[in-house]
Structure formats: structure tokens, C-alpha cells
């Protein structure tokens, strides 16, 4: 039966000990527990192959935030909550503690090694999780220079959007976040009549134009039509910003104007995989915002979309040379119970009523905005639509993260290094080791990067750097 087939497939699992040409990290922000498909079956990544558990706490918090966790799994160092790309020696909000405490991400180091690199997210591209890939900021909230404190601006700290364009040579940037890239009073292309969506920069810089002006074979798009029109075979750089802030939930998305996570992932892989040295891609789906709002259907639909993106990337890459890792940065106070029978919708009711003689849903939250009392008692369950807020035990305007370990699932080269229970920053070290990325790049098993065609802004090493790398390789 099924158990025997599972045992057979486990017996057939053999570690791929070669190095990975490509590395893809899928991050379900706040995704916990493991995703299930609409039918309630285990998702694509449950069948990945190897797995481990990740301890998610920040240096200063038992229950972490997405900036401290992003720094851990992308830069390989645990740090304080709400800080990006800096060690725990940096203090939140204190600009002058940034200097000397910067840590660099696997994405940044992969680019230095000659790989193409990309970021795909359904949040704004300056948000905490993608921001950890390129920014060094003691506040995750410094999206544009209009968000910097007076002290931080005076001391020379740069906002995250500015760092996106100036810190790392990123080939593909897809997500939301237009308003932080353009000067104040710049109308948004999609919402020109709404001044709330205007650009927010005080320095007068159009960062989109600045980014385009320093690249060759570069394109900027802001809607699905523009993205679809991009020819991946003649594009080395692509920036697509599809909303002023975060992108819309999948259940609210206008499919004719905004691309899905799956469509963005596909375009990114098609562009990045042309590099003979391979690529590093970070893909995030914002499961988190649905949970913070207490809206389980919104959150779990995002988890299903991440699952489909994993599947699509798998179709477009060679599994024998691509390390694919799927994990979450943290969990939520989200629970699923109530002795429900098989076949029950997970958004449905538990079969018995509670002590107060009222029904309850099998999904509940430990805290959050779903808390309500009517005449001193719990209300009946209303229509469980996409925006229904599941009931919560403690009243908060925003539901909180939770602190337990989350899963890491992996397949491809070096996936077997994900085993047992690990600290979250271990993830970045496996990604770098598998991809022959600094500080693990000088291993004799690592290939010497290929010199690309001589195009300005193209990935790779100069002939001089290649000779130096070759001599180092020969000495080992």
C-alpha cells in the first residue's frame, strides 16, 4: 500500500553530493504548518526529499520578526528583530551602529561569483524578507528616504529602496513597491488620480530611471501586460513593480492587470537560467499578511500559490543541478482542530458545538482581530467567505507571529545537509556551500566561473580575475 511505496521512495533517496549550479530559496512568509492543496493533500514541497526543522528566534526575541529572520536565512547570521543585513551588534533604529556591523547575503555573494540573481515577492520589494538580500538597515521601516529619522538622515544612513538600486547588481526584481522609487508628487501609473499612491522620495531621485541608466538589456514594467511582453532571451535585467506598496492577495488579484506569483517566478527563472554559471533566486509569498488580519482563507490561498510556484520552477530547471529549498521565516498563532471528519472543508465547522452551545470553525487563532463578544458571549459563526476572520482567544488589532520551529524541505544537490533541528542561519550556509558561493567558493570541487560574453553589466569575472581564480584552484 501507500506506506510501502513511501518506504520504497525513502530507500531510493540518495544524496546528490555534487555542487548546485542553481539555487532557489522559496520562503512562505509566516507559513505554518506545511501547506496543503485545495483538496487537503500534502503540497508539492512536502514531497521534496530531505527535511529539517529551523529554530526561528531572533537574538533579542523569542518570537521573531521577518527582518531578523531574513537576515538569518539569507546572510547566515542571527540578529535583532526589525534590523536587516546587520549583525546583532547593531541596535534597532540607531543609524550610527550600522557601520562595521554589515553582513552580506548569499544573493549578493552569488552575484559576485558570476551567477545571475533575482528576487520575486508578493510584498513590496523593499519589505523585510527581500530587503535582507541586499540592504544593511537598522530599521526595516526605512522604505524610502521620507521614512528615515532626521538623525538617521543626518548620520548618512540610506533608505532600503536606495540600497536596492545601489548595493547589489540584481538581474531580476519583481514585486510591489513603486511609491518608494519615485520623487514626491510623482503620480502612480496605475492610480494616477489617487495622491495617496504618489511617489514618496524627498531627494528627488527617480530610482527606476537610475537603475535602468546603469544597465544594458534592461527593462522596467509595472503591469502584467508589460511583464508578458518581456523577451527573456534578450533581457539581462528586469524590474517589475506591480503595486505602489504590497501586491494584492491572490483572491483579490485582477488577473488581467497583475501577474501571479507563479507567473513572476516563471519569468524570473527563464531570464536567470540563461547564465552559464547558473543563478540564485529568492521567491517569497506573503502568507503572513492574511494571518495578521485573521483571514485564514487569504493566508492559505497564498500558501497554495507558493506550492504552485515551486512546481513551476521545477518544470523549468534541471533537478540534478538545482538546489530547491522551501521554508518559512516564522509561524503564526494559527491552529487547526476540532475532531473534524475526513472530507470536511478545512474552512468549515467542527462537528460538535462548544460549551456555549454555539458552533466553531476548525481553524482558530490564539490572538488577533477575530475576537468579538456580543452581549457578553461569543457570536455565531457567520458566512465563511474569503475575508472571514476566524475567531481568536485574545483581542488584538493584528494577530502575532509565533515562536515554534518551522520546517525546511529541500531537494537537489546537497539537499541532504538539511537534517535534524538547525538554527535558522544554518540555511544560508548550506545554500552558499551547495552553490560554491563565498565563503565556500575555493573548494576543489567547485567549478571555476565561466567568462561571459563581453557585455557591460553582464555577470561573471574579468579575464584577470579568472586567471587569479584559476591559479588559486591549481594550488589547492
Amino acid at each position: 500500500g501507500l506506506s510501502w511505496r513511501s518506504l520504497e521512495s525513502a530507500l531510493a533517496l540518495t544524496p546528490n553530493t555534487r555542487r548546485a549550479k542553481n539555487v532557489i530559496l522559496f520562503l512562505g512568509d509566516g507559513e505554518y504548518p506545511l501547506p496543503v492543496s485545495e483538496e487537503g493533500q500534502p503540497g508539492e514541497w512536502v514531497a521534496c526529499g530531505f527535511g529539517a526543522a529551523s529554530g526561528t528566534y531572533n537574538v533579542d526575541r523569542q518570537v521573531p520578526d521577518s527582518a531578523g529572520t531574513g537576515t538569518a536565512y539569507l546572510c547566515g547570521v542571527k540578529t535583532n528583530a526589525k534590523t536587516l543585513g546587520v549583525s546583532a551588534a547593531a541596535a534597532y533604529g540607531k543609524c550610527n551602529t550600522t557601520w562595521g556591523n554589515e553582513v552580506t547575503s548569499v544573493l549578493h555573494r552569488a552575484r559576485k561569483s558570476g551567477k545571475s540573481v533575482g528576487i520575486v515577492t508578493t510584498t513590496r520589494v523593499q519589505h523585510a524578507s527581500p530587503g535582507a538580500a541586499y540592504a544593511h538597515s537598522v530599521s526595516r521601516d526605512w522604505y524610502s528616504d521620507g521614512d528615515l529619522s532626521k538623525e538617521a538622515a543626518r548620520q548618512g544612513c540610506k533608505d532600503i529602496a536606495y540600497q536596492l538600486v545601489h548595493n547589489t547588481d540584481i538581474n531580476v526584481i519583481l514585486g510591489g513597491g513603486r511609491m518608494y522609487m519615485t520623487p514626491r508628487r510623482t503620480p502612480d501609473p496605475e492610480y494616477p488620480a489617487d495622491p495617496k499612491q504618489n511617489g514618496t522620495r524627498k531627494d528627488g531621485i527617480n530610482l527606476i530611471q537610475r537603475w535602468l541608466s546603469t544597465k544594458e538589456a534592461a527593462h522596467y514594467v509595472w503591469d502584467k501586460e508589460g511583464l508578458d511582453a518581456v523577451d527573456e532571451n534578450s533581457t539581462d535585467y528586469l524590474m517589475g513593480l506591480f503595486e505602489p506598496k504590497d501586491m494584492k492577495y491572490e483572491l483579490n488579484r485582477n488577473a488581467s492587470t497583475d501577474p501571479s506569483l507563479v507567473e513572476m517566478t516563471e519569468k524570473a527563472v527563464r531570464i536567470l537560467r540563461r547564465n552559464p554559471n547558473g543563478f540564485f533566486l529568492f521567491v517569497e509569498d506573503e502568507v503572513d499578511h492574511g494571518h495578521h488580519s485573521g483571514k485564514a482563507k487569504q493566508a492559505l490561498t497564498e500558501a497554495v500559490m507558493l506550492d504552485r510556484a515551486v512546481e513551476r520552477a521545477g518544470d523549468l530547471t534541471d533537478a540534478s543541478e538545482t538546489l530547491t529549498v522551501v521554508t518559512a521565516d516564522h509561524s503564526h498563532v494559527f491552529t487547526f482542530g476540532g475532531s473534524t471528519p475526513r472530507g470536511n472543508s478545512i474552512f468549515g465547522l467542527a462537528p460538535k458545538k462548544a460549551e456555549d452551545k454555539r458552533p466553531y470553525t476548525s481553524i482558530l487563532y490564539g490572538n488577533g482581530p477575530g475576537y468579538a463578544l456580543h452581549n457578553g458571549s461569543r457570536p455565531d459563526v457567520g458566512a465563511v467567505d474569503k475575508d472571514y476572520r476566524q475567531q481568536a482567544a485574545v483581542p488584538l488589532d493584528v494577530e502575532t507571529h509565533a515562536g515554534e520551529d518551522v520546517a525546511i524541505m529541500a531537494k537537489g544537490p546537497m539537499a541532504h545537509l538539511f537534517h535534524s533541528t538547525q538554527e535558522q542561519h544554518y540555511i544560508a550556509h548550506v545554500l552558499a556551500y551547495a552553490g560554491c558561493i563565498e565563503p565556500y567558493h575555493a573548494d576543489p570541487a567547485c567549478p571555476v566561473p565561466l567568462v561571459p560574453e563581453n557585455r557591460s553589466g553582464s555577470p561573471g569575472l574579468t579575464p584577470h580575475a579568472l586567471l587569479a581564480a584559476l591559479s588559486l584552484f591549481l594550488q589547492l
Side-chain angles (χ1 to χ4, degrees):
L2 189 60
S3 300
W4 166 236
R5 285 203 300 278
S6 297
L7 180 60
E8 272 190 318
S9 61
L11 290 167
L13 272 179
T14 50
N16 177 348
T17 57
R18 291 199 310 249
R19 297 303 173 88
K21 178 181 177 182
N22 312 311
V23 177
I24 310 178
L25 175 60
F26 286 94
L27 193 278
D29 192 303
E31 180 166 31
Y32 181 83
L34 288 175
V36 291
S37 66
E38 295 98 323
E39 295 77 35
Q41 300 303 315
E44 172 78 13
W45 66 308
V46 179
C48 264
F50 295 91
S54 165
T56 63
Y57 61 90
N58 299 143
V59 169
D60 61 340
R61 283 194 189 174
Q62 292 174 333
V63 176
D65 94 312
S66 293
T69 53
T71 304
Y73 61 74
L74 280 167
C75 302
V77 174
K78 282 224 184 208
T79 193
N80 297 317
K82 301 174 80 171
T83 67
L84 286 175
V86 289
S87 74
Y92 168 67
K94 292 194 165 59
C95 169
N96 62 359
T97 65
T98 310
W99 325 124
N101 294 320
E102 300 94 336
V103 291
T104 58
S105 74
V106 180
L107 179 139
H108 182 86
R109 288 177 265 136
R111 189 74 184 108
K112 273 174 61 184
S113 79
K115 294 185 187 296
S116 291
V117 299
I119 288 168
V120 171
T121 180
T122 56
T123 64
R124 58 203 96 173
V125 296
Q126 308 86 354
H127 212 256
S129 308
Y134 58 82
H136 310 288
S137 179
V138 290
S139 174
R140 59 175 287 177
D141 298 321
W142 292 346
Y143 296 119
S144 90
D145 63 337
D147 300 315
L148 291 171
S149 66
K150 283 194 175 71
E151 180 187 56
R154 196 170 61 245
Q155 291 176 347
C157 276
K158 295 294 187 187
D159 60 274
I160 297 166
Y162 183 93
Q163 294 188 55
L164 170 66
V165 168
H166 292 88
N167 285 9
T168 304
D169 183 44
I170 306 174
N171 298 88
V172 177
I173 301 166
L174 299 174
R178 287 191 293 254
M179 68 182 346
Y180 311 113
M181 307 293 282
T182 55
R184 281 186 172 174
R185 290 185 284 282
T186 306
D188 185 82
E190 194 173 356
Y191 312 103
D194 182 358
K196 287 200 195 75
Q197 314 293 348
N198 286 357
T200 62
R201 299 201 66 79
K202 289 158 73 173
D203 58 14
I205 299 171
N206 184 319
L207 289 173
I208 297 164
Q209 293 304 331
R210 179 169 287 192
W211 187 81
L212 286 169
S213 71
T214 61
K215 315 285 183 202
E216 284 191 10
H219 299 282
Y220 168 70
V221 297
W222 58 268
D223 63 1
K224 182 177 175 344
E225 187 182 1
L227 183 71
D228 291 346
V230 169
D231 176 8
E232 59 259 17
N233 296 313
S234 59
T235 301
D236 292 337
Y237 292 92
L238 173 62
M239 180 185 287
L241 303 178
F242 303 106
E243 284 291 333
K245 288 187 181 175
D246 298 327
M247 293 180 70
K248 292 185 166 67
Y249 290 128
E250 175 61 22
L251 289 174
N252 301 353
R253 179 173 67 89
N254 180 332
S256 64
T257 58
D258 291 336
S260 70
L261 180 76
V262 179
E263 290 162 343
M264 291 192 292
T265 301
E266 169 153 356
K267 187 65 81 172
V269 171
R270 287 185 182 279
I271 291 170
L272 297 174
R273 71 180 181 181
R274 292 168 46 235
N275 186 334
N277 293 317
F279 65 84
F280 179 92
L281 175 61
F282 174 69
V283 179
E284 177 199 26
D285 198 332
E286 192 64 14
V287 180
D288 181 75
H289 286 178
H291 283 318
H292 280 312
S293 302
K295 298 177 179 179
K297 191 155 196 173
Q298 295 283 13
L300 294 182
T301 302
E302 296 304 319
V304 169
M305 291 306 288
L306 187 75
D307 192 55
R308 290 183 187 161
V310 174
E311 189 174 16
R312 183 65 55 87
D315 293 341
L316 295 166
T317 52
D318 181 343
S320 71
E321 60 182 24
T322 304
L323 171 63
T324 302
V325 179
V326 191
T327 189
D329 51 350
H330 55 75
S331 63
H332 280 266
V333 290
F334 170 77
T335 184
F336 173 46
S339 305
T340 51
R342 290 290 296 275
N344 207 58
S345 164
I346 65 165
F347 300 110
L349 300 174
K352 292 180 181 170
K353 292 193 173 167
E355 289 288 302
D356 58 7
K357 305 289 188 285
R358 293 174 187 269
Y360 66 99
T361 55
S362 52
I363 289 175
L364 293 166
Y365 286 94
N367 60 43
Y371 183 93
L373 288 177
H374 292 304
N375 301 323
S377 63
R378 195 170 59 89
D380 267 329
V381 175
V384 184
D385 60 11
K386 66 178 184 174
D387 288 318
Y388 173 73
R389 294 185 194 274
Q390 276 74 13
Q391 291 177 353
V394 173
L396 294 177
D397 64 337
V398 175
E399 177 265 1
T400 71
H401 297 167
E404 66 263 81
D405 293 355
V406 299
I408 311 167
M409 308 299 289
K411 62 181 175 184
M414 296 294 171
H416 63 286
L417 297 180
F418 290 108
H419 72 104
S420 185
T421 299
Q422 305 291 347
E423 294 297 352
Q424 191 167 43
H425 54 298
Y426 176 75
I427 295 170
H429 289 270
V430 175
L431 301 180
Y433 181 83
C436 283
I437 295 162
E438 204 177 295
Y440 306 108
H441 57 302
D443 191 293
C446 290
V448 177
L450 299 161
V451 182
E453 301 156 44
N454 193 13
R455 290 189 305 230
S456 89
S458 272
L461 298 170
T462 62
H464 175 75
L466 186 68
L467 284 172
L470 192 57
S471 66
L472 175 71
F473 181 73
L474 292 171
Q475 286 164 20
L476 291 166

